[in-house]
Structure formats: structure tokens, C-alpha cells
Amino acid sequence: MIPRYMSAMCLIGHGGVEKLLYREDVRIRELNPHELLVKVTATAKNNTDRKVREGLYPTKDNNDVASFDMGGTSSLQFPRIQGADVVGNIVAVGSDIDSRKIGERGLLDFNIYATDSEDINLAPDYYGHGADGGYAEYIIVPSSQFYLIKNPELADAELASMGMCSYQTALHMLNIAGVKSGEKVLVTGASGGVGTALIQLCKIIGAIPYALSSLDKEEMLLSLGAQKVIDRSKIEDVAQNILKATNGENIDAVMDLLGGEYTSRLIDTMIVDMNKRDTYPRLSIAGASGGNVSEILWTKIYLYQVQIFGVSHGTRVEAKQLIRWIQDKKLIPVLHGTFKLSDLHKAEEYFVSRDNNFLGKIVIVPDSEWNRHGEKFKVRKFYEN
């Protein structure tokens, strides 16, 4: 039986955390034939939640407030329930779905695909933006995008930390740049969700990841598989530090989440000696935490034949590959800690002001599921003060 109402955190407009309103009377609609009703147990927080809330996705020079919108017409409507990386249990199915699926635990492929293509996604949208997401007690999703994950060794919060928003983006960054076994890959923003995913994925495909991060995270990043951790604290020394770590050899490809003043310096690490390269220098960029504007000499780009790839989301093929790797225990969760859904304001503030010991993902757990799925992993700095 489908419940009529649920608790949810609703985004009611662009702005600060005051635009997130916790409600206990959100109506649950009827299921379409191909859909599932999932009782949410854990949803990983992503930086895109904050950027959408604050309207930080401008694509024009005037930097107007804008939401994530690649399809020409914004799909963001208020109120909207955010939260893309959703884990939960199926509690009801549409008329076209086998009822034996009820009770299964799964992980959502967060994309709202514009076409049926398996290997291209040119106008990406996602649950939590173009449709309601997982910051709620329930979510309605298409059956084809909710993947069964048995793996009893993974708690729900840990599984959510391996969600598609970070891992699929990371895999697409590597794939679109054609990264192959044996290549040296520089990962910036290495301690975040996409960064830790990139390190693990490099190891799976046989590439050699170098992590650009603060040195207090060195031990943790090395344990994930980073070849070396390079200090990012002094931007003017970044290129020199990277080349010291590689013994002066070219970085083959850069997976960048920083942008800003870093971009030109990162490119410099790939063009030290072009005679020693056998592939083009490649830069995949999927973030701009270091700044939304970069100054680059275009002569440097075209004379050194640097290939630049912009990445937002991945494809169905990549989602299915990641699910197989999770099921085969080739990926490990990097969970920082959990917050109750009703404490999402605090989770957002904590994320923005996080200290140097932060690594991995914050996961949001509905209050009704807290004792079972959240308490064990709670962010103690917040809940024990």
C-alpha cells in the first residue's frame, strides 16, 4: 500500500540554507506502470545540491543566477526535493513491474536521460533537480534505473557514498580522455567524492593516480591507491611539486575539479617534453571549486595540441559498469559521516566549513531510518557537542 504523505526537505527557491524547508506533509503521487516506490534509507550529499540551491551554474558572461540546465528549458521547479545518490528498499511497484521486486535494496542511477542512447548523454538532468530526489522518506524512480545491490558487507550509508553522481562523473572523465593502463593521471580535489572515486577507478583500469590535496590527507589518500600526494596549498608551487613527484616526467592526463588559476599550471605538467609523449595531453574538467574563470594562452593549447573535455554526467553504459564493480567488491566506500534529514541545514554548513580532516561523502538519513542506518556513522563532531 502506497502511503499518502511523507517527510521531506523541500527547496523553495534560490538562496541560502533558509530556502530548505523541512515538511512532514508532502503528498506522494500514484505510481506509473514502469515505476517503483522506494523507501529511502540513505542519500549522499553532493556539491551540486548547494550549487543548484545558490544558482551557481551560469553559462553566460553576466554570471546570472542559474540552475543546472543543458536542455534549453529549466527543469528545476520549486518546491523541489534534492538528493541524487539514493539507496533504499522497494515498497511498491507499478502495474508493469514484477511484484517480487518488493523488498529489494538498490542504488539509483541518478540521471534523467533525454534519449534512449546507451553511450551518450548530451543534455543531462538528474533526480534532485529535474525530478524529486532522495532528501525524503520515499522516492519514485523508473525500474530500469534502480539497481539491485545485495552485498551484505555494505551498509546503506556506505552504499550511498558510492553513488553515481560522483562515481559516474569520475568514470566518464577517464573514459572521454581515453585514459589507459600505465598512464600517469593527476587528480585534483582528490579528497572529495569525485576525487576519491577517480583514485579508485584509476587503480581498477591500471592507471597511476597522483593526488593533489592538502598533506594532512596524505595517509588516507595513499591508502585508497594514490601513488603520491602533492601539496596544493601554494598555487605558485603546484606545477613544480607535481613534477617533483613524477621525477620530472609528463603527467599524461589531468582530471580537474578546481579550474581557476590552477588550470594553466596543470597543463604545464603535461607538456614538459613532448618528445617523450606518445599520446596527446588531455584535461578533463568536471568542477571549478578553485574559480569559474581561467586565463590560458590559446597558443599553449593548440601548439601543444592539448585536448580539453568538459564533463558533467556519464552514460547508461558507465552506470552499469559501476554497478558491476560495486557488486564485485572492486570499489570501496569512502564515507565521512551521516546527518539526519531534519539536520540538513547543519549538514550544508558543515560541508562548506569542513576542516582539513574531511575525506569522502556526507550521507543524509531520514529521521525515521536514523537508528538503523544513520546512528552508527553519525558525524560525531556535530552530534556529540
Side-chain angles (χ1 to χ4, degrees):
M1 179 178 176
I2 298 176
R4 295 183 62 190
Y5 298 95
M6 67 178 178
S7 296
M9 189 68 75
C10 299
L11 179 66
I12 58 174
H14 289 302
V17 294
E18 75 279 356
K19 295 296 184 180
L20 292 168
L21 179 65
Y22 188 66
R23 293 176 49 190
E24 298 178 336
D25 60 348
V26 176
R27 186 71 181 259
I28 301 174
R29 66 170 175 82
E30 296 294 320
L31 292 175
N32 290 326
H34 63 284
E35 291 179 327
L36 309 172
L37 179 68
V38 173
K39 186 171 180 56
V40 177
T41 55
T43 300
K45 180 180 158 28
N46 292 289
N47 199 36
T48 189
D49 299 328
R50 176 188 63 85
K51 296 184 76 171
V52 166
R53 170 170 53 79
E54 295 180 1
L56 298 180
Y57 282 116
T59 55
K60 298 182 174 62
D61 292 338
N62 58 12
N63 281 336
D64 284 346
V65 170
S67 68
F68 190 96
D69 172 23
M70 301 301 107
T73 302
S74 179
S75 61
L76 178 65
Q77 298 179 0
F78 302 117
R80 172 66 76 221
I81 300 170
Q82 294 185 291
D85 289 331
V86 185
V87 172
N89 299 99
I90 299 170
V91 294
V93 299
S95 58
D96 288 350
I97 308 300
D98 190 334
S99 62
R100 287 176 294 183
K101 293 183 72 66
I102 292 175
E104 290 183 352
R105 180 182 75 159
L107 173 66
L108 175 67
D109 172 1
F110 77 122
N111 286 281
I112 299 174
Y113 295 102
T115 71
D116 293 332
S117 175
E118 289 284 311
D119 57 4
I120 195 167
N121 186 12
L122 291 177
D125 200 353
Y126 62 96
Y127 284 86
H129 181 274
D132 285 337
Y135 291 160
E137 290 184 298
Y138 296 90
I139 184 174
I140 293 175
V141 299
S143 177
S144 61
Q145 289 179 225
F146 193 71
Y147 290 93
L148 172 65
I149 306 287
K150 292 182 178 179
N151 298 61
E153 76 282 358
L154 288 175
D156 288 31
E158 291 175 317
L159 179 57
S161 76
M162 304 165 76
M164 295 293 166
C165 191
S166 292
Y167 278 81
Q168 194 190 55
T169 299
L171 182 56
H172 195 58
M173 291 176 79
L174 294 167
N175 284 346
I176 200 168
V179 172
K180 60 186 180 182
S181 179
E183 290 195 306
K184 294 183 292 296
V185 177
L186 179 66
V187 177
T188 75
S191 64
V194 179
T196 54
L198 279 163
I199 291 171
Q200 293 189 63
L201 293 171
C202 280
K203 299 301 288 186
I204 288 176
I205 66 176
I208 306 167
Y210 291 80
L212 189 64
S213 181
S214 56
L215 292 182
D216 60 285
K217 297 169 182 147
E218 182 173 19
E219 183 178 349
M220 294 180 285
L221 292 171
L222 290 174
S223 70
L224 278 179
Q227 182 78 4
K228 290 186 179 178
V229 178
I230 302 154
D231 187 8
R232 60 164 283 186
S233 61
K234 294 182 179 179
I235 189 170
E236 63 272 12
D237 297 334
V238 160
Q240 178 182 347
N241 290 340
I242 294 167
L243 292 172
K244 182 179 179 181
T246 64
N247 296 317
E249 295 182 357
N250 296 304
I251 288 289
D252 293 300
V254 173
M255 303 293 112
D256 187 30
L257 305 166
L258 296 177
E261 294 181 64
Y262 287 90
T263 305
S264 185
R265 290 175 169 86
L266 299 177
I267 290 171
D268 287 342
T269 69
M270 296 191 288
I271 58 175
V272 180
D273 187 348
M274 295 298 289
N275 291 317
K276 292 183 177 179
R277 295 194 64 100
D278 55 11
T279 58
Y280 292 110
R282 288 147 286 153
L283 171 70
S284 285
I285 185 162
S289 62
N292 207 32
V293 177
S294 302
E295 288 189 6
I296 308 173
L297 287 171
W298 282 113
T299 46
K300 182 186 292 187
I301 301 301
Y302 66 75
L303 291 177
Y304 287 97
Q305 302 184 82
V306 178
Q307 299 179 336
I308 300 177
F309 304 95
V311 174
S312 54
H313 295 182
T315 66
R316 287 185 173 91
V317 168
E318 288 161 335
K320 292 171 183 176
Q321 177 62 78
L322 287 165
I323 293 297
R324 288 193 293 271
W325 281 335
I326 292 172
Q327 293 169 335
D328 293 342
K329 304 179 184 180
K330 292 185 177 181
L331 295 170
I332 62 173
V334 188
L335 172 63
H336 178 76
T338 54
F339 279 84
K340 290 181 182 178
L341 178 60
S342 60
D343 289 327
L344 185 57
H345 286 200
K346 296 297 183 182
E348 291 278 0
E349 292 166 357
Y350 178 85
F351 180 80
V352 171
S353 62
R354 59 194 183 274
D355 60 26
N356 289 335
N357 292 318
F358 188 95
L359 184 78
K361 302 289 286 188
I362 289 173
V363 169
I364 308 301
V365 175
D367 293 37
S368 58
E369 298 291 326
W370 179 254
N371 289 340
R372 183 178 178 188
H373 296 291
E375 173 74 25
K376 177 181 178 181
F377 305 103
K378 66 185 178 183
V379 176
R380 299 189 182 281
K381 183 176 179 179
F382 173 75
Y383 283 104
E384 294 181 358
N385 284 345

